[in-house]
Amino acid sequence: MEKKNIHISHVILRAVSIFDPKGKKNKDDFSKNLTKHGFELQLFQENSLNFFKNNYYPEFKELIFNNKENDAVLTYRKTFNQVLIFPRETKITLNYCELFIFPDGLSFFMLDFSTSNKTISEISDINFMIQKLDAKTEVEIDNNYFKWIEWVEENCLLGNKILFENAGKQIPIDSYSGSKFKLFTVLETKEAILQEQRLELLYDIGCNSRIGTAGGTERESPSKSYYNELMKNTISVFQNYDILPLFDSFTVIGNDILTSNQSGELKDTFAYKTWSDTYFRLVLFNLYLKFNLFKYNAEAKEDSVKTREKFEEFVNKYNFSHISFNFLPNLIIKNHRKTLEIDSELDLFQKRINRISLAIQEKQQGRMDNLIMLITIISSASSIQPIFKVLDNFRGTHHWSPILFYTIATSVFIVLAILVVSFLFPTQLKKTIKKISRSLTKE
């Protein structure tokens, strides 16, 4: 069977991005308004909480898998079951939208889709359509046409903007997230396929390329070295599936991975919940780290001191080395972090913050030295009086008029003062001279 005609029995299709109800007060007000607009707070069942307790480290579990309102990520869901028709007559169903309100930093939203199309080529076309994060794409909903992102902003984010074109005075979120949704795709094939073919399909789906690009001879087909570079963080643990974490996508392909041969509804199976509720949140957490690094890098230009303090607090709170007692969740987190280059960016930003700290300390030390010198000068003012007596005696002896003598003395004092100030504050003096020069030029 050709790769493009491989049939998919079950699928998870999700698009993820960020939004920012700026400030804690705004975030709290935003959360309170969600229930008024059809969102429901999602709580884990007791058996799920026990499972998380037995499998995940306490710090990570308290943040990601918890029902505590103050310390955990709060998840709100709004059900749509809305048929959407994208360009090229691509018809899919938006099942629901979930919002993940993190205690600190940026928040996330996720759109969960389903489709009646079941070939891997059709799934690839759908991913290509839903990944676009731009203001131009239109979608047909109930025979009416809407700008896709504007519809999402209005119906899923309560008017919070995510695109620069729509942002106005708000933060242009796409400056942190780029021009694409991040995709989370889990594909269960009807039949087992060879791993080599499965890995090539992972490349095609993960890179949003046409099915058959990897392993082909087309112009867009990857070179061997590029293919190996992109696939180096692939997670291949069991015989029946492989995982490819990339910057813009997280893709899983295999057989018996969502149903695990269990009877009943798909969404009631342990396997489905593992990918949908558990592993998805691991991917979300890594994206949370990555996007907040983008945000801190951008904010460092505006207020380096405040950013340094916030960043160090953020890293101490959220940069977990291990998250689970089991190997696979740790492996997913680790390989996804490598792909996102989180650790290298953390290291570089930490060095940048250290340089900022050093510069701040040097400035503070310089100010302290100047302050000590000023205090010394003021404290020595009492010694000036004898000097005035000597000068006055000198003036009387030589019969100089008071006006002439003190005019000359004052001039000499001003010249000496300018020399002292230029020695102590050379940078400030240059800036002042430039300002005076500019103002005179304008006049």
Side-chain angles (χ1 to χ4, degrees):
M1 180 184 292
E2 285 189 81
K3 282 192 286 187
K4 66 180 181 180
N5 293 326
I6 290 175
H7 281 77
I8 304 299
S9 54
H10 298 100
V11 60
I12 298 175
L13 293 175
R14 290 177 173 174
V16 179
S17 194
I18 53 175
F19 70 102
D20 186 21
K22 191 174 176 61
K24 188 179 188 307
K25 185 178 185 303
N26 289 343
K27 191 174 287 189
D28 291 342
D29 291 341
F30 179 82
S31 298
K32 291 175 183 177
N33 286 330
L34 288 173
T35 53
K36 299 177 184 177
H37 292 80
F39 284 88
E40 295 181 357
L41 180 64
Q42 301 297 294
L43 299 176
F44 291 108
Q45 299 299 315
E46 192 64 31
N47 59 343
S48 295
L49 291 174
N50 289 333
F51 172 81
F52 298 139
K53 179 181 178 181
N54 293 328
N55 288 276
Y56 289 88
Y57 286 6
E59 280 187 317
F60 187 77
K61 176 187 70 68
E62 290 297 312
L63 174 68
I64 299 296
F65 305 117
N66 209 332
N67 289 335
K68 292 183 180 179
E69 291 195 3
N70 293 328
D71 303 320
V73 177
L74 296 183
T75 305
Y76 293 87
R77 177 183 292 188
K78 182 176 182 178
T79 301
F80 285 95
N81 292 325
Q82 181 68 60
V83 176
L84 312 173
I85 303 176
F86 282 85
R88 303 184 188 178
E89 296 299 312
T90 304
K91 184 183 291 187
I92 57 178
T93 299
L94 173 61
N95 300 317
Y96 57 86
C97 170
E98 282 190 344
L99 306 182
F100 301 88
I101 313 298
F102 279 77
D104 305 292
L106 299 165
S107 295
F108 283 77
F109 68 96
M110 179 271 288
L111 307 173
D112 183 271
F113 301 97
S114 61
T115 176
S116 58
N117 298 315
K118 292 300 182 181
T119 69
I120 200 164
S121 182
E122 290 168 332
I123 299 296
S124 177
D125 291 340
I126 289 171
N127 268 0
F128 181 77
M129 283 292 122
I130 64 177
Q131 190 176 36
K132 292 182 178 180
L133 180 58
D134 61 55
K136 298 177 181 178
T137 301
E138 287 192 340
V139 62
E140 182 183 342
I141 303 174
D142 296 332
N143 298 318
N144 294 309
Y145 288 89
F146 301 90
K147 296 286 187 182
W148 169 229
I149 296 304
E150 290 181 5
W151 189 90
V152 171
E153 290 172 341
E154 186 63 30
N155 292 276
C156 300
L157 304 178
L158 277 56
N160 275 270
K161 306 302 181 183
I162 56 177
L163 281 191
F164 180 80
E165 291 92 333
N166 304 339
K169 293 183 179 180
Q170 295 189 42
I171 294 175
I173 289 300
D174 55 335
S175 65
Y176 303 146
S177 66
S179 59
K180 299 175 183 177
F181 281 107
K182 309 308 175 188
L183 298 180
F184 180 86
T185 309
V186 183
L187 302 177
E188 182 182 77
T189 59
K190 282 189 174 182
E191 57 279 318
I193 55 179
L194 295 175
Q195 188 184 42
E196 182 181 355
Q197 190 177 49
R198 197 161 62 212
L199 292 175
E200 290 175 352
L201 289 171
L202 274 177
Y203 174 94
D204 293 343
I205 295 292
C207 296
N208 251 330
S209 302
R210 288 196 303 273
I211 301 299
T213 300
T217 56
E218 303 175 20
R219 186 177 64 178
E220 298 86 1
S221 294
S223 66
K224 185 177 181 180
S225 60
Y226 178 69
Y227 179 81
N228 291 336
E229 175 67 22
L230 214 61
M231 304 294 285
K232 66 182 180 182
N233 293 321
T234 301
I235 301 170
S236 299
V237 176
F238 302 108
Q239 292 291 330
N240 64 319
Y241 71 87
D242 297 282
I243 305 170
L244 178 60
L246 296 177
F247 183 78
D248 290 323
S249 63
F250 186 93
T251 312
V252 187
I253 299 178
N255 64 298
D256 294 336
I257 54 175
L258 295 177
T259 54
S260 295
N261 293 321
Q262 298 181 36
S263 59
E265 290 292 327
L266 171 67
K267 295 185 179 181
D268 290 333
T269 67
F270 176 78
Y272 177 87
K273 289 181 178 179
T274 298
W275 290 106
S276 176
D277 299 341
T278 306
Y279 293 160
F280 171 74
R281 285 178 175 248
L282 305 188
V283 173
L284 191 70
F285 176 73
N286 273 348
L287 291 175
Y288 173 71
L289 289 178
K290 184 66 175 180
F291 284 134
N292 276 285
L293 278 172
F294 286 155
K295 187 170 182 284
Y296 282 122
N297 268 293
E299 290 178 348
K301 297 177 182 178
E302 303 297 327
D303 190 338
S304 57
V305 178
K306 186 177 180 181
T307 302
R308 178 194 60 176
E309 294 172 354
K310 288 168 59 180
F311 171 74
E312 290 176 348
E313 183 180 345
F314 178 84
V315 170
N316 290 334
K317 190 173 182 179
Y318 296 118
N319 189 31
F320 305 109
S321 59
H322 291 78
I323 55 122
S324 176
F325 302 113
N326 299 328
F327 80 95
L328 187 53
N330 286 322
L331 189 58
I332 289 174
I333 283 281
K334 178 183 175 182
N335 282 32
H336 194 213
R337 279 176 71 112
K338 285 182 181 178
T339 300
L340 296 176
E341 298 182 336
I342 288 175
D343 292 312
S344 60
E345 189 164 355
L346 273 171
D347 183 56
L348 288 172
F349 192 65
Q350 187 67 61
K351 290 178 180 177
R352 182 184 178 193
I353 290 294
N354 290 338
R355 288 196 297 270
I356 291 172
S357 299
L358 182 61
I360 291 170
Q361 289 175 3
E362 289 175 351
K363 286 182 180 179
Q364 289 174 340
Q365 185 61 46
R367 289 174 188 151
M368 184 62 69
D369 292 343
N370 290 334
L371 180 60
I372 292 171
M373 185 172 291
L374 181 61
I375 292 172
T376 302
I377 293 171
I378 293 173
S379 63
S380 63
S382 58
S383 62
I384 296 176
Q385 188 173 0
I387 296 175
F388 276 111
K389 286 184 177 180
V390 171
L391 291 174
D392 195 55
N393 289 335
F394 178 82
R395 180 192 63 78
T397 303
H398 292 81
H399 305 288
W400 287 20
S401 68
I403 294 176
L404 176 62
F405 179 78
Y406 284 111
T407 298
I408 295 173
T410 302
S411 301
V412 171
F413 176 78
I414 290 173
V415 170
L416 291 174
I418 291 173
L419 293 174
V420 170
V421 169
S422 63
F423 174 74
L424 291 176
F425 310 101
T427 305
Q428 290 87 337
L429 184 64
K430 287 179 181 177
K431 288 181 179 178
T432 303
I433 292 172
K434 285 182 179 179
K435 286 182 181 178
I436 294 172
S437 177
R438 286 172 188 167
S439 62
L440 292 174
T441 303
K442 289 179 181 179
E443 290 177 1

